[in-house]
Amino acid sequence: MDTHGRYGTRGTVLRLLAVAGTAALTLTVGLVTPLNPAPQRAEAKDGKQVLTVAVAQSVDSLSPFLAARLVSTSIFRLMYEYLTNYDPKDDHAVPGLATKWEPSADKLTWTYTIRDNSEWSDGRQATAEDAAWTFNTMMTDQGAATANGNFVANFEKVTAPSPTKLVIELKKPQATMAALDVPIVPKHVWEKVDDFTKFGNDKSFPVVGNGPFILTDYQADSYVRLKPNKSFWRGAPKFDELVFKYYKDGDAAVAALQKGEVSFVSGLTPAQAAALKTQEHVTVNDAPGRRFYALATNPGALAKNGKKFGDGHESLLNQKVRRALFMAVDRETVVDKVFQGYAKEGEGYIPPRFSSYFWKPADGQKISYDPAGAARLLDEAGYKKNGDGKRVGKDGEPITYRVLCHATDPPDKAVGKYLQEWWGKLGIGVSLDCRDNVSDPWLAGEYDLAFDGWSVNPDPDFVFSIHTCAALPATPKDVGATDNFICDKKYDALYDQQLAEYDAAERAEIVKRMESRLYDTGYMNVMAYPNAVEAYRTDQIASITKMPETAGNIYGQDGYWSWWSATPAAAGGSSDDSNQTGVVIGIVAGVVVLAGLGAFFAMRRRATAEDRE
Amino acid sequence: MTTTDPDEPTPPINPPIIPPVSPPNAPPMAPPVAPAVAPAAAEGGGGPRALARQRRRASAARFWVRYRAHRSGLLGLAALALLALIALTAPLTIGSDVQSVTDAPGRPMESPSLEFPLGTDQFGRSLLGLVVWGSRVSLLVGLLAAVLSVAIGALIGITAGHFRGWFATVMMRITDWFLVMPTLVLAIVLATVLSRSLGTIILAIGVTTWPTTARLVRAQTLAVESRPYIERAKALGGGHWHVMSRHVLPNVMPLVLAQTTLIISSAILSEATLAFLGLGDPTVVSWGGLLQDAREAGAVSAGKWWYLVPPGIAIAVVALAFTLCGRAVEAVLNPRLGVTR
């Protein structure tokens, strides 16, 4: 706020003006529509076309070797090229850094042709050497395998015989070779890093990359700023700047969209979506999501060295109990009341949007809403009610489950209230533990149940890999790739099998059997597949690519399509004038209010003069 | 309101200049022989007990007559009585089922209608019922937090005023430290560190708002202890406990009561603030919690005013009522503030 600068000037008039200005500013901020009806243009004063995207999720790390959150991986898509990319129409693999890829006859050696027209932003050529170094680092350094280790676990050897040729030799066949979701980083920059578990890639800007955008600035929980890569091989993005701006409060983000301060908002609540649908210059996009929304149980946290840790409730180790708990969850109500129709009822692990891998339980297998059956199952499992109607654990204490919830995710709290009543009727207590950052108890295994959700890639290998025994942390002190400490031999066998299966249809069959196994274990109970409900300003973004193109999401795509393809709306309109009017009205109103207050206090002062000492 | 003050309560504001403790052989300054001597004694009666009772009654009646003169105080009292009645009878009038999300009768965020006079919330629960039910939590937390805050403040104030010396210095520096700490920040930290429950919120508010009370009570204690009858009590063998509990406490009680009424309103506001910031127990219905729910459901940007306005107005009304009462009590007990304008 530039009014602050004026306080230093001597003179009452100036100071008064500044105060009035501040008051007016406060007023205009407070009253969004009446005083400031016209949206501000997306571009800054120097005519730069800025695309501002409101985000809420914190970046966990800007190092591609560590980060797993959606916001971070979406930014990597913009910063770095991957060997291959997914087609926005039907998700099939299309060229990225590699122009061509082919397996040997035994399918154990894959040869990638690396393009010769991709340049790092510091002017060096991106070559097969960079890709080989990235994979080799992940294979040799445990710390560099934190995020995407599942892709290289089966690699035997990676070499770069020439700048345009990358050869990967495998131990066993691997189905994900055309979908290696690993950002390729520049060797000449990253080979200076000593400890990959500590390096956050957020100290020196701009960060060297070869994606459609170049990261120029980052402030934790404040903004991520990127500029277009003019020499990007597929063509430079149209906007002059892309900013991810943090709004930890959903309503504030929507207000900013209504004012035109941001061009795009995702994760709308039903009420917000309904309200924005009627607003001018705003388009609401309601698409089938790529996320599942689940209730994960703590299966007894375990490290690879066999050490148990955490303090999950012992009753949850019983499969019958887990089944009973999920039996008492009415998924229809979750979709109908909490998501108000902006979601699909949960079935298997993979959302229906990925039709080839989507699986749903057969009638006999399905855990339908049946509170009476749940009570019976709990009785069978030996968790009977005591005199007060509360079920008691093996230790004789009434069972109260601690449910970890994300304080920033409104559906978590809402579903939590339902759980409290559904499970309360079974005689089981629920204490909701809502935190801004759930990582600490989560990684320590100090929870009973937790709200969980992952965005699924067109190739589902990653979301399955996080439930294998191999993903467990090495020791209780380490951080593993595991989601919630699941380690099931049967599931692991299926996982290895699908990874080695090159036939797409066969592999899909095995994937479905994995989903079936996961469903039966009751460790991950998918309640819903939330839609991607998002909105953007049509007077700032003329067009933007969805993925899938017909009815897809914009934020958090598998690729850079949306932000790369976004075209700015033609400048113009009378918004600047009315904006001025808004400010003038605001200042006048501020002065009037101030004058009124001044007069009031003056009178009061006079009236109480005798009383004061 | 029974005040067992031996004399008229002294003005709580402006701590008087503390006179040096008079030498033991100094002539008594005021004639009363025993602290029990009061106008009511002239009416006679059976023994000192009855006398005291009579005097208390008279003093309460006197208080009520003076309180009645403050119209705003009466208004606040009436509002409070009504609210207390609503909150206490809530289990009979609406029942605890109103909180249930699974048995919610309406559709999410219905606008006000005959069936739901204040509309429904995001789960389809009646907002009128929720606001009434939420009053129980808000009032309970406000009262308990204020009592806790005033109890801490009174304890520290009286002991610091009575013992003087290094103890008082240490206590007052601690008070100063709490006084300069931003209350809200401290409360947020406490509420974050401890588990999320009503008890935590009460503790967080109580522990952060006591310093003003402590300072006021200490000033009053100093004023009371400088009076000659305290010296006489000491000369007759009254120990620390006797002086603090029988002479100082009754004298600071009116001040403490006035302070409690005033702090309740700020405690209710603090509770709403903490709940609104998402630091309360998300499964308990309170006014601040309702506002937080409304914000998270996007009621602000969607223009669903009926989700926001009723709890907001309820908070304002209760805070106002307690403030009006507190002001009136303060004015009655403190003659310097009693001038009607």
Side-chain angles (χ1 to χ4, degrees), chain A residues 349-350 354 356-359 459-461 463-464 491 494-495 497-499 501 504-518:
Chain A
Y349 187 65
I350 302 284
F354 303 101
S356 49
Y357 298 113
F358 174 65
W359 167 88
D459 188 295
D461 183 67
V463 285
F464 284 113
Y491 173 89
L494 286 167
Y495 174 80
Q497 216 182 325
Q498 64 84 24
L499 191 58
E501 182 55 65
E506 284 288 317
R507 182 174 175 222
E509 272 317 302
I510 307 169
V511 164
K512 287 177 186 172
R513 278 165 61 198
M514 280 171 81
E515 290 181 69
S516 166
R517 175 66 195 161
L518 204 55

Side-chain angles (χ1 to χ4, degrees), chain A residues 58-67 72 75-76 79-80 185 189-190 193 195-208 214-225 246:
Chain A
S58 302
V59 169
D60 45 355
S61 168
L62 281 175
S63 162
F65 296 112
L66 300 177
S72 324
I75 291 170
F76 296 151
M79 290 164 67
Y80 301 105
V185 299
V189 176
W190 284 77
V193 176
D195 185 354
F196 285 100
T197 57
K198 299 258 157 51
F199 182 67
N201 195 23
D202 52 4
K203 290 289 177 288
S204 73
F205 296 104
V207 176
V208 177
I214 298 160
L215 181 71
T216 53
D217 205 359
Y218 163 68
Q219 275 291 326
D221 283 351
S222 181
Y223 60 82
V224 182
R225 194 164 277 148
Y246 275 90

Side-chain angles (χ1 to χ4, degrees), chain A residues 337-360:
Chain A
K337 288 285 180 64
V338 176
F339 292 100
Q340 288 172 36
Y342 289 98
K344 290 262 175 322
E345 190 184 327
E347 312 254 19
Y349 187 65
I350 302 284
R353 177 176 144 179
F354 303 101
S355 51
S356 49
Y357 298 113
F358 174 65
W359 167 88
K360 57 169 153 190

Side-chain angles (χ1 to χ4, degrees), chain A residues 249 251 254-255 258 269-272 275 336-338 340 407 410 413-418 420-422 425 432 434-436 608 611 613, chain B residues 14 99-104 106-109 122-123 125 196 278 282-283 292-302 304 336 339 341:
Chain A
D249 179 47
D251 248 2
V254 171
Q258 285 168 333
T269 68
Q272 288 165 342
D336 191 40
K337 288 285 180 64
V338 176
Q340 288 172 36
K413 280 188 215 169
V415 174
K417 283 190 193 178
Y418 281 102
Q420 209 166 33
E421 291 184 24
W422 286 327
K425 283 174 194 157
L432 270 190
C434 293
R435 302 177 179 228
D436 281 341
T608 62
D611 301 336
E613 290 171 38
Chain B
N14 300 345
Q99 303 180 73
S100 165
V101 286
T102 47
D103 304 332
R107 290 291 309 160
M109 293 206 213
Q122 55 171 330
F123 300 103
R125 302 180 287 183
R196 293 191 181 187
T283 53
Q292 151 84 348
D293 284 353
R295 191 181 61 115
E296 284 196 337
V300 183
S301 54
K304 314 271 185 198
R336 288 198 204 180
V339 186
R341 295 187 186 122

Side-chain angles (χ1 to χ4, degrees), chain B residues 225-284:
Chain B
E225 292 226 345
S226 67
R227 292 210 210 141
Y229 75 86
I230 297 284
E231 203 190 324
R232 284 197 291 274
K234 279 184 187 157
L236 288 169
H240 292 304
W241 175 247
H242 175 83
V243 171
M244 279 193 286
S245 62
R246 301 301 294 273
H247 299 298
V248 178
L249 187 64
N251 266 305
V252 297
M253 215 48 209
L255 175 69
V256 165
L257 282 171
Q259 186 68 8
T260 312
T261 358
L262 287 175
I263 283 192
I264 290 173
S265 67
S266 71
I268 287 174
L269 285 177
S270 304
E271 189 273 333
T273 312
L274 289 177
F276 174 70
L277 291 175
L279 296 164
D281 184 343
T283 53
V284 168

Side-chain angles (χ1 to χ4, degrees), chain B residues 136-302:
Chain B
R136 295 167 67 83
V137 169
S138 292
L139 287 175
L140 182 76
V141 170
L143 284 170
L144 289 181
V147 166
L148 179 66
S149 157
V150 170
I152 300 175
L155 182 73
I156 293 199
I158 292 179
T159 48
H162 178 78
F163 288 110
R164 322 262 169 101
W166 64 267
F167 177 81
T169 315
V170 170
M171 280 302 157
M172 282 300 110
R173 290 304 80 76
I174 294 176
T175 312
D176 289 345
W177 187 77
F178 271 97
L179 205 57
V180 292
M181 284 284 285
T183 313
L184 186 63
V185 176
L186 195 59
I188 288 175
V189 169
L190 275 173
T192 319
V193 172
L194 304 170
S195 68
R196 293 191 181 187
S197 68
L198 278 188
T200 305
I201 295 284
I202 293 171
L203 192 73
I205 299 172
V207 167
T208 48
T209 53
W210 57 267
T212 30
T213 318
R215 285 231 152 241
L216 281 173
V217 169
R218 174 174 167 272
Q220 175 77 346
T221 306
L222 289 176
V224 171
E225 292 226 345
S226 67
R227 292 210 210 141
Y229 75 86
I230 297 284
E231 203 190 324
R232 284 197 291 274
K234 279 184 187 157
L236 288 169
H240 292 304
W241 175 247
H242 175 83
V243 171
M244 279 193 286
S245 62
R246 301 301 294 273
H247 299 298
V248 178
L249 187 64
N251 266 305
V252 297
M253 215 48 209
L255 175 69
V256 165
L257 282 171
Q259 186 68 8
T260 312
T261 358
L262 287 175
I263 283 192
I264 290 173
S265 67
S266 71
I268 287 174
L269 285 177
S270 304
E271 189 273 333
T273 312
L274 289 177
F276 174 70
L277 291 175
L279 296 164
D281 184 343
T283 53
V284 168
V285 174
S286 76
W287 290 336
L290 281 177
L291 286 176
Q292 151 84 348
D293 284 353
R295 191 181 61 115
E296 284 196 337
V300 183
S301 54

